[in-house]
Amino acid sequence: MNYMDYAIEEANKALEKGEIPVGAIVVKAGIIIGKGYNEKEGKKDPTQHAEIIAIKEACANIGDWRLIGCEMYVTLEPCPMCTGAILQSRIGKLYIGTFNKDTGACGSVVNLIDNRNLNSFVNTIWTYDERCSKLLQEFFKRQRQK
Amino acid sequence: MNYMDYAIEEANKALEKGEIPVGAIVVKAGIIIGKGYNEKEGKKDPTQHAEIIAIKEACANIGDWRLIGCEMYVTLEPCPMCTGAILQSRIGKLYIGTFNKDTGACGSVVNLIDNRNLNSFVNTIWTYDERCSKLLQEFFKRQRQK
């Protein structure tokens, strides 16, 4: 399995719970130290996006708020909240599975990751993976059938 | 007391713990339903900003991720993460005590609250209060004396 496979595994857990299927993992030196999937509806908490959950778990695991040298793999382009959290956490590299034309903050709607006026930045690698967008299509298909 | 006084009370708690002094409260129909102060260092968690803590408490109190009809009072202009969380939560009005020229995302560095391409927005009222900026000055003065 490659790392995006694990993020997709997380997104699948969200889909099965009727949440918008987004998954994320944090990797340090080849080891997954945090993972999460979108649980906003189930937890009744707007901050429970995959990326925030994965960051919190990673920080708890290493006992530091600085995720220096860490990478995140996320199935969907992060929103402003999550992109901001990624910047706060000092994650060094971000791999994104598909773009988010509604709230994407890594270039699609706004661009927070390449703004030299903010005091941190993250190297972002777009790794388009059809499985990431298909999961979202499947979710919205199920929603329409309800 | 006015509502900003309560946010300043929260910011003071952060100062006493050696954290950057920022405080926030969420108000619904005149009642404070969430409050928080910056605890990033103490909790070793980059998401533990005042605004996120206040939003999570407010959501837990009302059992909904939607803080519709709620107002937030925050002593410092929110960063991209927190502005994104405020947008996610559907808070209707945001009162800000002072600007943040380093990471402010409500106009100072980037502007996420008045971007018509994002799918939500928040009415923002700047209520400059010298106490909010003085708290920050006091914190950085203490840091330099260490």
Side-chain angles (χ1 to χ4, degrees):
Chain A
M1 281 174 86
N2 68 42
Y3 290 119
M4 191 58 86
D5 294 342
Y6 292 97
I8 291 170
E9 206 169 81
E10 290 301 305
N12 261 309
K13 293 179 192 169
L15 183 69
E16 291 316 310
K17 290 190 174 180
E19 303 268 1
I20 297 177
V22 182
I25 62 163
V26 175
V27 178
K28 182 170 185 167
I31 311 290
I32 297 173
I33 60 168
K35 51 189 187 170
Y37 57 91
N38 177 36
E39 297 189 78
K40 187 173 87 165
E41 297 291 342
K43 299 279 190 196
K44 300 179 191 297
D45 179 342
T47 72
Q48 292 300 287
H49 281 191
E51 301 93 315
I52 303 263
I53 295 167
I55 286 171
K56 288 173 81 78
E57 189 176 285
C59 292
N61 271 332
I62 65 168
D64 196 340
W65 63 261
R66 297 166 196 83
L67 295 176
I68 291 169
C70 294
E71 301 176 346
M72 174 176 278
Y73 291 78
V74 60
T75 60
L76 180 66
E77 181 185 359
C79 73
M81 173 179 73
C82 291
T83 307
I86 291 162
L87 292 172
Q88 287 287 343
S89 75
R90 313 267 179 91
I91 280 172
K93 266 191 191 173
L94 177 65
Y95 294 85
I96 305 177
T98 193
F99 64 86
N100 177 351
K101 67 177 170 46
D102 293 323
T103 64
C106 302
S108 292
V109 182
V110 287
N111 192 332
L112 298 175
I113 51 162
D114 190 17
N115 182 322
R116 309 297 157 95
N117 294 321
L118 289 168
N119 67 353
S120 44
F121 61 92
V122 58
N123 293 312
T124 301
I125 299 105
W126 289 86
T127 54
Y128 291 108
D129 188 318
E130 231 185 7
R131 295 172 298 168
C132 296
S133 45
K134 282 202 168 149
L135 265 168
L136 290 158
Q137 287 160 13
E138 174 63 23
F139 172 80
F140 289 109
K141 191 176 141 196
R142 288 188 192 183
Q143 287 295 104
R144 283 191 301 273
Q145 286 166 345
K146 272 186 183 169
Chain B
M1 281 174 87
N2 69 41
Y3 291 119
M4 191 58 85
D5 294 341
Y6 292 98
I8 291 170
E9 205 168 82
E10 290 301 305
N12 262 309
K13 294 179 191 169
L15 183 68
E16 290 317 310
K17 289 190 175 180
E19 302 268 2
I20 296 177
V22 183
I25 62 163
V26 175
V27 177
K28 182 171 184 165
I31 311 289
I32 297 174
I33 61 167
K35 51 188 188 171
Y37 57 91
N38 177 36
E39 297 188 78
K40 188 173 87 165
E41 297 291 342
K43 300 280 189 196
K44 299 179 191 297
D45 179 341
T47 72
Q48 292 299 286
H49 281 190
E51 301 93 316
I52 304 264
I53 294 167
I55 286 170
K56 288 173 81 79
E57 188 175 285
C59 291
N61 271 331
I62 66 168
D64 196 341
W65 63 261
R66 296 166 196 83
L67 295 177
I68 291 169
C70 294
E71 301 177 346
M72 174 175 278
Y73 291 77
V74 61
T75 60
L76 179 66
E77 180 185 0
C79 73
M81 173 179 73
C82 291
T83 306
I86 291 162
L87 293 172
Q88 287 287 343
S89 74
R90 313 267 180 91
I91 280 173
K93 267 192 192 172
L94 176 64
Y95 293 86
I96 305 176
T98 194
F99 64 86
N100 178 349
K101 68 178 171 42
D102 294 322
T103 64
C106 303
S108 292
V109 183
V110 287
N111 193 333
L112 297 175
I113 52 161
D114 190 19
N115 182 322
R116 308 298 156 92
N117 294 321
L118 288 168
N119 67 353
S120 42
F121 61 93
V122 59
N123 292 313
T124 300
I125 299 105
W126 289 85
T127 54
Y128 291 108
D129 188 318
E130 230 184 7
R131 295 173 298 169
C132 296
S133 46
K134 281 201 168 153
L135 267 168
L136 291 158
Q137 286 160 13
E138 174 64 24
F139 172 80
F140 289 109
K141 191 177 141 196
R142 288 188 193 183
Q143 288 296 104
R144 283 192 301 271
Q145 286 166 346
K146 273 184 183 168

